[in-house]
Amino acid sequence: MRKILCALITVPLSFTLLIGCQSNNMANNEKTAAMLVSVIDSIGSQADNLSPDSKAEYVSLAKEIEEYVKKINSNPNEFDSQEKIDKITEQYNIYIEKIENIAEENSVTLEYDTHLNNTP
């Protein structure tokens, strides 16, 4: 039986994201999802330090992430093979890199966490 772990993050730019639902046998994916949650939370808490263009880029990216997560979480088959899990992890890493670029452009320091707060 799959144990589902979800992290709900509220970002100060007035939207909520549900990031990563992973079974407990996907450690790398889970760590990457936790890192994505932490960088979203980190940059979101410093949104006042972003330029107007960067805020718009971040909001657009956050919406893209939210749609991606909804898509994969609505289809349990997205987690049925290591290849699919690796593809999801790769996409999470792409999102992390985009957020890092926004942070770097605005001299924002990100905090990284690889542990979901609600893991046992």
Side-chain angles (χ1 to χ4, degrees):
M1 178 169 178
R2 253 170 63 153
K3 179 178 178 183
I4 301 297
L5 303 173
C6 297
L8 184 63
I9 292 299
T10 303
V11 181
L13 295 175
S14 60
F15 46 86
T16 302
L17 301 176
L18 180 64
I19 301 298
C21 287
Q22 298 84 26
S23 71
N24 58 5
N25 65 348
M26 298 185 278
N28 189 38
N29 182 270
E30 184 176 313
K31 286 180 182 179
T32 306
M35 186 179 297
L36 179 57
V37 168
S38 70
V39 296
I40 287 170
D41 187 40
S42 183
I43 198 167
S45 69
Q46 301 175 67
D48 292 342
N49 298 332
L50 301 178
S51 70
D53 287 344
S54 292
K55 277 185 186 180
E57 181 181 358
Y58 175 64
V59 168
S60 175
L61 180 59
K63 288 178 183 177
E64 180 182 332
I65 294 168
E66 181 178 26
E67 289 304 311
Y68 179 73
V69 170
K70 282 180 185 178
K71 180 186 134 218
I72 63 172
N73 286 339
S74 68
N75 182 358
N77 294 331
E78 289 291 335
F79 297 96
D80 66 359
S81 73
Q82 188 61 48
E83 183 179 326
K84 289 179 181 179
I85 294 166
D86 290 345
K87 185 176 177 182
I88 292 167
T89 304
E90 182 179 321
Q91 186 61 48
Y92 286 170
N93 280 316
I94 290 168
Y95 291 139
I96 290 167
E97 185 176 327
K98 288 180 178 184
I99 292 171
E100 288 172 335
N101 290 339
I102 293 170
E104 185 177 325
E105 290 169 6
N106 291 274
S107 302
V108 170
T109 303
L110 298 175
E111 294 181 28
Y112 295 86
D113 187 2
T114 57
H115 299 87
L116 292 174
N117 292 333
N118 59 348
T119 56

